[in-house]
Amino acid sequence: MADVPLDRVAETATTEVEDLSLHHPHSWLTRYVFSQDAKTISIQYTVTALVIGFIALFLSWLMRLQLGFPGTFAFIDAAAYYQLITMHGMMMIVYVLTAVLLGGFGNYLIPLMVGARDMVFPYANMLSYWFYLLAVVILLASFFAPGGPTGAGWTLYPPQAILSGTPGQESGIILMLVSLIVFIAGFTMGGLNYVVTVLQGRTRGMTLMRMPLTVWGIFTASVMALLAFPALFVASVMMLFDKLFGTSFFMPSLIELGTRLDYGGGSPILFQHLFWFFGHPEVYIVALPAFGIVSDLIATHARRNIFGYRMMVWAILAIGALSFVVWAHHMYVSGMNPWFGFFFATTTLIIAVPTAIKVYNWILTLWRGDIHLTVPMLFALGFIVTFVNGGLSGLFLGNVVVDVPLSDTMFVVAHFHMVMGIAPVLVIFGAIYHWYPKVTGRMMNEALGKLHFWITFLGTYAIFFPMHYLGLLGVPRRYHEMGEASFFPASAQMLNAYITVLALIVGAAQLLFLFNLIWSIRHGREAGGNPWRATSLEWQTPETPPPHGNWGKEQPAVYRWAYDYNVPGVAQDFIPQNMPPEAVPLGARPASGGMS
Amino acid sequence: MYVALALFIIAIGSVVFHLLSPWWWTPIASNWSYIDHTITITFWITGLVFVAVVLFMAWCVWRYRHRPQQAEVLYEPENKRLEWWLTVGTAIGVAAMLAPGLYVWRQFITVPPDADEVEIVAQQWQWSYRLPGPDGRLGATAIRHISDDNPLGLDPDDPRGADDIMVQGGELHLPIGRPVKAVLRSLDVLHDFYVPEFRAKMDLIPGMVTYFWLTPTRTGTFEVLCAEMCGVGHAFMRGFVVVAEESDYRAWLEQQQPARPTAQRTVPVMAER
Ligand code: HEM
Ligand SMILES: [Cu+2]
């Protein structure tokens, strides 16, 4: 990889197609609404998910208001609080992060980055979005259903989730389960596309080990999602049966507020195993695309090859595989057989090794680079700090006996917000600032972007870092108020109030982003085709934004990996993947590498 | 260079916050100080890594920021030696946390043979307790036996249960210095018995019996919280555990009445399947 490889691909003819054979859409409806173009579907996914993201953010405001100033807001009682955390958590994880990273970025970037014209099954791809939208509508409908949305916690643990001590058990829980089932059906259609397109749709010369890490991340996450979501699917179906038809998959014989119910013989722990068999891989389904994207942001904006590319690919695959054998680390105090603890603590801590390798390789890519502190780069740096912080607190919670005092406390809330809440969100922002010029042809405003970055990054760090210490004190999670407790000093309530104020500020700052996003469509600086002087294929399209079919007549051929930045003896500081070896300009480089 | 400076402040500021934080774990009241030690080890190792990573980033951002007179960028796709060193170093650090962790976990799940048993029963949203009477054995229970005068569902035909002592909605009393095995049962949904000073906690699950054990090491009254979401009353599901000297404990025990469940009377809802 070090030298510019002369490859046999140069001798193979590239694919040329007649324009007509591309099945271009003919009406407004098939172009913009029922579109089968992965790029349009990507935008549909992203916009829908952003809307949900803003709703979930708003819900977190309400939760924080209650926690910071308990009792001040009469309409947020215990029941409402539980409905808020449940909807906030489920929306953020499934309907925002999974949808943006796979449905949004996957659709836009996979075909362009591997040099394909589109996904391999465009019709299923279109259906995938419409299923997603249906799932979203069902989910939102539960806000208006009798009894309101479910307040079972995003983990939906039975028996509580379907019994009357829990808000939303009338219809909210049913809508939630149905929505998840629809979501998973829709995701499966999209996920198959992402996987098959990577395996079958790559252009000439795009070997697997030349793919940008973004594609590796999304690809591995999609494979994982196809394996993990079915567990949630069956768990949801079974719980729906328990709720509607009186089966007892998860229901032992029990008393509900003084009355004996007609259930018997089921196992609540079985649900937890199924849930986390999905739920833990889900963390990495969100994390791996973020890992991949951030690798590409760093390499591009530090003008340096990603350090240890092959190790990075193996680390992604190792993390993906290992993440299927760690699920019960969410269940150390669940009452499962305690001997499981040894196994799951060991596997969990082993995952730390490939994860650490990724972190080292990111920072070693910065080392001896030419770091341009662009907005995407800032978000990438913010991601590393946040992710390392959250990853390290994971070593507490993964280490079985250390988890015992900390589990179900605010320490856990702080940990998972850092590692899988804020960290991927920072990557999503960075990625949007980075690829926006490709999608719209214009740059987003840099000053606004920087302001948005600093408030978001510093703000969230200042929100979630001190929160760990509430957990150390012993404050449980999912408490709408702590009330009187001997171990809970007045200063801790002040900390809560401070966190709330920051959360309001950080939340409001997201409007800067929203404004920038919309305003720049018309008023952003013209970007040209490759404003970041990046190597990967999506920046080499003949037109920007790329039209249906992406490449015009001729698909690109690939001659090298995606990280040829500052190759010695080459006259420019990057070599696009599709530049034939004989076209590479040799010679000394001008002193300064162009853009700042 | 404000980006580098911000990173520097985050690294140092986090450490300073940690050292000065007035919020720290409550003084321990059980034998599980091992757990605290393991947390301390973990804080050291992870803290060092965090500071090292963030400071290195800060330095890189400062030293290799884009400048007109750019130093040569290193083109080095991989460096096997460095990558292996880092991998091995990480593995050692991880092992240094895992080994004590697993060692203590072994103790955590191994109940000493001489431990006293107490039963903790949860239902929405209160705690109840049951102590074995003079025979030292707890009687069998089942959901189907539950009735107004048999709220914990004792089996009326089990002689071992006749002398059991029930504490309904009151405090759990424990003698100091004697290992105790808490046997956990829930009548409705998941709950979790959590006393921050004990460090130990465990879920209570309908349909099965779970356990944990500890030896109280400090007298006093400690707060019991529910740590597993159990419906709208979750945050109010509180109670107290009183750790007392052996003599005070005996005096309290004398005053408790044995159960002697009256004749069976099932709840008139549906038959057990
Ligand atoms: C600044 C932004 C955010 C704030 C202020 C915030 C705040 C909160 C609060 C107050 C809770 C409830 C804690 C409790 O009482 O247990 C919570 C729970 C949660 N949040 Fe966030 N959050 C934010 C962003 C996110 C993001 C980006 C994610 C994406 C993964 C996320 C995922 C969750 C989940 C999964 C829960 C748990 C819900 C449950 O316990 O069932 N949050 N958040
Ligand atoms: Cu509870």
Side-chain angles (χ1 to χ4, degrees), chain B residues 177-197:
Chain B
R178 281 225 313 258
V180 49
K181 176 183 184 186
V183 190
L184 311 173
R185 200 151 63 84
S186 166
L187 305 184
D188 42 35
V189 301
L190 306 179
H191 300 276
D192 189 298
F193 185 83
Y194 175 42
V195 178
E197 285 84 353

PDB file of all heavy atoms in Angstrom, chain B residues 177-197:
ATOM      1  N   GLY B 177     -21.731  -7.869  62.107  1.00  0.00           N
ATOM      2  CA  GLY B 177     -20.642  -8.843  62.161  1.00  0.00           C
ATOM      3  C   GLY B 177     -21.032 -10.260  61.821  1.00  0.00           C
ATOM      4  O   GLY B 177     -20.184 -11.146  61.828  1.00  0.00           O
ATOM      5  N   ARG B 178     -22.305 -10.535  61.536  1.00  0.00           N
ATOM      6  CA  ARG B 178     -22.677 -11.907  61.167  1.00  0.00           C
ATOM      7  C   ARG B 178     -23.054 -11.946  59.697  1.00  0.00           C
ATOM      8  O   ARG B 178     -23.867 -11.136  59.239  1.00  0.00           O
ATOM      9  CB  ARG B 178     -23.876 -12.369  62.004  1.00  0.00           C
ATOM     10  CG  ARG B 178     -23.488 -12.798  63.400  1.00  0.00           C
ATOM     11  CD  ARG B 178     -24.146 -14.107  63.823  1.00  0.00           C
ATOM     12  NE  ARG B 178     -25.561 -14.198  63.566  1.00  0.00           N
ATOM     13  CZ  ARG B 178     -26.505 -14.045  64.508  1.00  0.00           C
ATOM     14  NH1 ARG B 178     -26.150 -13.763  65.741  1.00  0.00           N
ATOM     15  NH2 ARG B 178     -27.776 -14.179  64.207  1.00  0.00           N
ATOM     16  N   PRO B 179     -22.431 -12.874  58.918  1.00  0.00           N
ATOM     17  CA  PRO B 179     -22.793 -12.950  57.506  1.00  0.00           C
ATOM     18  C   PRO B 179     -24.264 -13.291  57.349  1.00  0.00           C
ATOM     19  O   PRO B 179     -24.800 -14.113  58.080  1.00  0.00           O
ATOM     20  CB  PRO B 179     -21.906 -14.063  56.953  1.00  0.00           C
ATOM     21  CG  PRO B 179     -21.350 -14.783  58.124  1.00  0.00           C
ATOM     22  CD  PRO B 179     -21.413 -13.866  59.299  1.00  0.00           C
ATOM     23  N   VAL B 180     -24.907 -12.634  56.402  1.00  0.00           N
ATOM     24  CA  VAL B 180     -26.320 -12.888  56.190  1.00  0.00           C
ATOM     25  C   VAL B 180     -26.564 -13.089  54.699  1.00  0.00           C
ATOM     26  O   VAL B 180     -26.017 -12.371  53.866  1.00  0.00           O
ATOM     27  CB  VAL B 180     -27.191 -11.747  56.770  1.00  0.00           C
ATOM     28  CG1 VAL B 180     -26.683 -10.405  56.310  1.00  0.00           C
ATOM     29  CG2 VAL B 180     -28.641 -11.924  56.407  1.00  0.00           C
ATOM     30  N   LYS B 181     -27.348 -14.120  54.397  1.00  0.00           N
ATOM     31  CA  LYS B 181     -27.731 -14.374  53.020  1.00  0.00           C
ATOM     32  C   LYS B 181     -29.141 -13.841  52.827  1.00  0.00           C
ATOM     33  O   LYS B 181     -30.070 -14.292  53.497  1.00  0.00           O
ATOM     34  CB  LYS B 181     -27.694 -15.867  52.725  1.00  0.00           C
ATOM     35  CG  LYS B 181     -28.168 -16.206  51.324  1.00  0.00           C
ATOM     36  CD  LYS B 181     -28.181 -17.704  51.085  1.00  0.00           C
ATOM     37  CE  LYS B 181     -28.579 -18.009  49.640  1.00  0.00           C
ATOM     38  NZ  LYS B 181     -28.748 -19.434  49.402  1.00  0.00           N
ATOM     39  N   ALA B 182     -29.279 -12.881  51.941  1.00  0.00           N
ATOM     40  CA  ALA B 182     -30.601 -12.332  51.649  1.00  0.00           C
ATOM     41  C   ALA B 182     -31.195 -13.123  50.497  1.00  0.00           C
ATOM     42  O   ALA B 182     -30.609 -13.196  49.415  1.00  0.00           O
ATOM     43  CB  ALA B 182     -30.484 -10.863  51.288  1.00  0.00           C
ATOM     44  N   VAL B 183     -32.340 -13.737  50.745  1.00  0.00           N
ATOM     45  CA  VAL B 183     -33.039 -14.496  49.721  1.00  0.00           C
ATOM     46  C   VAL B 183     -34.150 -13.599  49.198  1.00  0.00           C
ATOM     47  O   VAL B 183     -34.924 -13.056  49.983  1.00  0.00           O
ATOM     48  CB  VAL B 183     -33.636 -15.781  50.315  1.00  0.00           C
ATOM     49  CG1 VAL B 183     -34.150 -16.675  49.211  1.00  0.00           C
ATOM     50  CG2 VAL B 183     -32.621 -16.491  51.146  1.00  0.00           C
ATOM     51  N   LEU B 184     -34.218 -13.425  47.879  1.00  0.00           N
ATOM     52  CA  LEU B 184     -35.043 -12.347  47.335  1.00  0.00           C
ATOM     53  C   LEU B 184     -36.197 -12.899  46.507  1.00  0.00           C
ATOM     54  O   LEU B 184     -36.019 -13.810  45.704  1.00  0.00           O
ATOM     55  CB  LEU B 184     -34.194 -11.435  46.451  1.00  0.00           C
ATOM     56  CG  LEU B 184     -32.870 -10.956  47.051  1.00  0.00           C
ATOM     57  CD1 LEU B 184     -32.062 -10.214  46.020  1.00  0.00           C
ATOM     58  CD2 LEU B 184     -33.121 -10.070  48.259  1.00  0.00           C
ATOM     59  N   ARG B 185     -37.347 -12.296  46.692  1.00  0.00           N
ATOM     60  CA  ARG B 185     -38.543 -12.772  46.004  1.00  0.00           C
ATOM     61  C   ARG B 185     -39.411 -11.559  45.670  1.00  0.00           C
ATOM     62  O   ARG B 185     -39.465 -10.608  46.445  1.00  0.00           O
ATOM     63  CB  ARG B 185     -39.305 -13.679  46.977  1.00  0.00           C
ATOM     64  CG  ARG B 185     -40.281 -14.630  46.424  1.00  0.00           C
ATOM     65  CD  ARG B 185     -40.351 -15.837  47.367  1.00  0.00           C
ATOM     66  NE  ARG B 185     -40.834 -15.473  48.704  1.00  0.00           N
ATOM     67  CZ  ARG B 185     -42.130 -15.362  49.020  1.00  0.00           C
ATOM     68  NH1 ARG B 185     -43.061 -15.580  48.126  1.00  0.00           N
ATOM     69  NH2 ARG B 185     -42.499 -15.029  50.244  1.00  0.00           N
ATOM     70  N   SER B 186     -40.050 -11.585  44.519  1.00  0.00           N
ATOM     71  CA  SER B 186     -40.966 -10.500  44.178  1.00  0.00           C
ATOM     72  C   SER B 186     -42.332 -11.093  43.896  1.00  0.00           C
ATOM     73  O   SER B 186     -42.439 -12.183  43.335  1.00  0.00           O
ATOM     74  CB  SER B 186     -40.463  -9.744  42.945  1.00  0.00           C
ATOM     75  OG  SER B 186     -41.501  -8.923  42.450  1.00  0.00           O
ATOM     76  N   LEU B 187     -43.364 -10.358  44.269  1.00  0.00           N
ATOM     77  CA  LEU B 187     -44.715 -10.864  44.042  1.00  0.00           C
ATOM     78  C   LEU B 187     -45.313 -10.341  42.745  1.00  0.00           C
ATOM     79  O   LEU B 187     -46.316 -10.869  42.274  1.00  0.00           O
ATOM     80  CB  LEU B 187     -45.629 -10.462  45.203  1.00  0.00           C
ATOM     81  CG  LEU B 187     -45.152 -10.860  46.589  1.00  0.00           C
ATOM     82  CD1 LEU B 187     -46.194 -10.487  47.632  1.00  0.00           C
ATOM     83  CD2 LEU B 187     -44.843 -12.347  46.660  1.00  0.00           C
ATOM     84  N   ASP B 188     -44.743  -9.271  42.189  1.00  0.00           N
ATOM     85  CA  ASP B 188     -45.369  -8.716  40.985  1.00  0.00           C
ATOM     86  C   ASP B 188     -44.374  -8.451  39.857  1.00  0.00           C
ATOM     87  O   ASP B 188     -44.345  -9.177  38.886  1.00  0.00           O
ATOM     88  CB  ASP B 188     -46.185  -7.467  41.328  1.00  0.00           C
ATOM     89  CG  ASP B 188     -45.481  -6.549  42.312  1.00  0.00           C
ATOM     90  OD1 ASP B 188     -44.245  -6.443  42.252  1.00  0.00           O
ATOM     91  OD2 ASP B 188     -46.172  -5.937  43.147  1.00  0.00           O
ATOM     92  N   VAL B 189     -43.570  -7.404  39.984  1.00  0.00           N
ATOM     93  CA  VAL B 189     -42.687  -7.052  38.871  1.00  0.00           C
ATOM     94  C   VAL B 189     -41.248  -7.085  39.357  1.00  0.00           C
ATOM     95  O   VAL B 189     -40.985  -7.457  40.493  1.00  0.00           O
ATOM     96  CB  VAL B 189     -43.037  -5.645  38.316  1.00  0.00           C
ATOM     97  CG1 VAL B 189     -44.469  -5.601  37.837  1.00  0.00           C
ATOM     98  CG2 VAL B 189     -42.784  -4.580  39.361  1.00  0.00           C
ATOM     99  N   LEU B 190     -40.316  -6.664  38.507  1.00  0.00           N
ATOM    100  CA  LEU B 190     -38.922  -6.602  38.930  1.00  0.00           C
ATOM    101  C   LEU B 190     -38.727  -5.473  39.925  1.00  0.00           C
ATOM    102  O   LEU B 190     -39.327  -4.408  39.799  1.00  0.00           O
ATOM    103  CB  LEU B 190     -38.011  -6.345  37.727  1.00  0.00           C
ATOM    104  CG  LEU B 190     -38.128  -7.284  36.539  1.00  0.00           C
ATOM    105  CD1 LEU B 190     -37.161  -6.831  35.454  1.00  0.00           C
ATOM    106  CD2 LEU B 190     -37.827  -8.704  36.951  1.00  0.00           C
ATOM    107  N   HIS B 191     -37.906  -5.721  40.908  1.00  0.00           N
ATOM    108  CA  HIS B 191     -37.456  -4.688  41.833  1.00  0.00           C
ATOM    109  C   HIS B 191     -35.977  -4.935  42.069  1.00  0.00           C
ATOM    110  O   HIS B 191     -35.423  -5.909  41.575  1.00  0.00           O
ATOM    111  CB  HIS B 191     -38.211  -4.778  43.161  1.00  0.00           C
ATOM    112  CG  HIS B 191     -39.688  -4.605  43.048  1.00  0.00           C
ATOM    113  ND1 HIS B 191     -40.303  -3.385  43.012  1.00  0.00           N
ATOM    114  CD2 HIS B 191     -40.683  -5.520  42.944  1.00  0.00           C
ATOM    115  CE1 HIS B 191     -41.614  -3.545  42.901  1.00  0.00           C
ATOM    116  NE2 HIS B 191     -41.880  -4.837  42.845  1.00  0.00           N
ATOM    117  N   ASP B 192     -35.341  -4.048  42.823  1.00  0.00           N
ATOM    118  CA  ASP B 192     -33.942  -4.295  43.151  1.00  0.00           C
ATOM    119  C   ASP B 192     -33.660  -3.743  44.533  1.00  0.00           C
ATOM    120  O   ASP B 192     -33.897  -2.563  44.799  1.00  0.00           O
ATOM    121  CB  ASP B 192     -33.024  -3.633  42.109  1.00  0.00           C
ATOM    122  CG  ASP B 192     -31.575  -4.051  42.279  1.00  0.00           C
ATOM    123  OD1 ASP B 192     -30.987  -3.760  43.343  1.00  0.00           O
ATOM    124  OD2 ASP B 192     -31.025  -4.659  41.351  1.00  0.00           O
ATOM    125  N   PHE B 193     -33.173  -4.606  45.403  1.00  0.00           N
ATOM    126  CA  PHE B 193     -32.891  -4.201  46.782  1.00  0.00           C
ATOM    127  C   PHE B 193     -31.525  -3.540  46.826  1.00  0.00           C
ATOM    128  O   PHE B 193     -30.498  -4.161  46.550  1.00  0.00           O
ATOM    129  CB  PHE B 193     -32.915  -5.427  47.697  1.00  0.00           C
ATOM    130  CG  PHE B 193     -32.747  -5.089  49.142  1.00  0.00           C
ATOM    131  CD1 PHE B 193     -33.837  -4.687  49.906  1.00  0.00           C
ATOM    132  CD2 PHE B 193     -31.506  -5.188  49.764  1.00  0.00           C
ATOM    133  CE1 PHE B 193     -33.690  -4.376  51.248  1.00  0.00           C
ATOM    134  CE2 PHE B 193     -31.359  -4.876  51.108  1.00  0.00           C
ATOM    135  CZ  PHE B 193     -32.452  -4.469  51.847  1.00  0.00           C
ATOM    136  N   TYR B 194     -31.522  -2.261  47.153  1.00  0.00           N
ATOM    137  CA  TYR B 194     -30.293  -1.479  47.041  1.00  0.00           C
ATOM    138  C   TYR B 194     -30.091  -0.632  48.284  1.00  0.00           C
ATOM    139  O   TYR B 194     -30.933   0.212  48.611  1.00  0.00           O
ATOM    140  CB  TYR B 194     -30.375  -0.595  45.795  1.00  0.00           C
ATOM    141  CG  TYR B 194     -29.219   0.369  45.595  1.00  0.00           C
ATOM    142  CD1 TYR B 194     -27.902  -0.018  45.831  1.00  0.00           C
ATOM    143  CD2 TYR B 194     -29.445   1.658  45.146  1.00  0.00           C
ATOM    144  CE1 TYR B 194     -26.852   0.863  45.637  1.00  0.00           C
ATOM    145  CE2 TYR B 194     -28.402   2.545  44.937  1.00  0.00           C
ATOM    146  CZ  TYR B 194     -27.105   2.138  45.192  1.00  0.00           C
ATOM    147  OH  TYR B 194     -26.076   3.012  44.987  1.00  0.00           O
ATOM    148  N   VAL B 195     -29.009  -0.887  48.996  1.00  0.00           N
ATOM    149  CA  VAL B 195     -28.605  -0.048  50.123  1.00  0.00           C
ATOM    150  C   VAL B 195     -27.227   0.494  49.762  1.00  0.00           C
ATOM    151  O   VAL B 195     -26.261  -0.266  49.734  1.00  0.00           O
ATOM    152  CB  VAL B 195     -28.522  -0.873  51.433  1.00  0.00           C
ATOM    153  CG1 VAL B 195     -28.046   0.001  52.575  1.00  0.00           C
ATOM    154  CG2 VAL B 195     -29.865  -1.499  51.740  1.00  0.00           C
ATOM    155  N   PRO B 196     -27.124   1.785  49.435  1.00  0.00           N
ATOM    156  CA  PRO B 196     -25.836   2.287  48.952  1.00  0.00           C
ATOM    157  C   PRO B 196     -24.674   1.940  49.887  1.00  0.00           C
ATOM    158  O   PRO B 196     -23.589   1.586  49.410  1.00  0.00           O
ATOM    159  CB  PRO B 196     -26.057   3.805  48.880  1.00  0.00           C
ATOM    160  CG  PRO B 196     -27.519   3.952  48.648  1.00  0.00           C
ATOM    161  CD  PRO B 196     -28.177   2.814  49.379  1.00  0.00           C
ATOM    162  N   GLU B 197     -24.902   1.975  51.184  1.00  0.00           N
ATOM    163  CA  GLU B 197     -23.802   1.697  52.115  1.00  0.00           C
ATOM    164  C   GLU B 197     -23.343   0.246  52.076  1.00  0.00           C
ATOM    165  O   GLU B 197     -22.234  -0.062  52.508  1.00  0.00           O
ATOM    166  CB  GLU B 197     -24.214   2.045  53.557  1.00  0.00           C
ATOM    167  CG  GLU B 197     -24.259   3.534  53.861  1.00  0.00           C
ATOM    168  CD  GLU B 197     -25.576   4.174  53.451  1.00  0.00           C
ATOM    169  OE1 GLU B 197     -26.410   3.483  52.815  1.00  0.00           O
ATOM    170  OE2 GLU B 197     -25.777   5.357  53.763  1.00  0.00           O
TER     171      GLU B 197
END
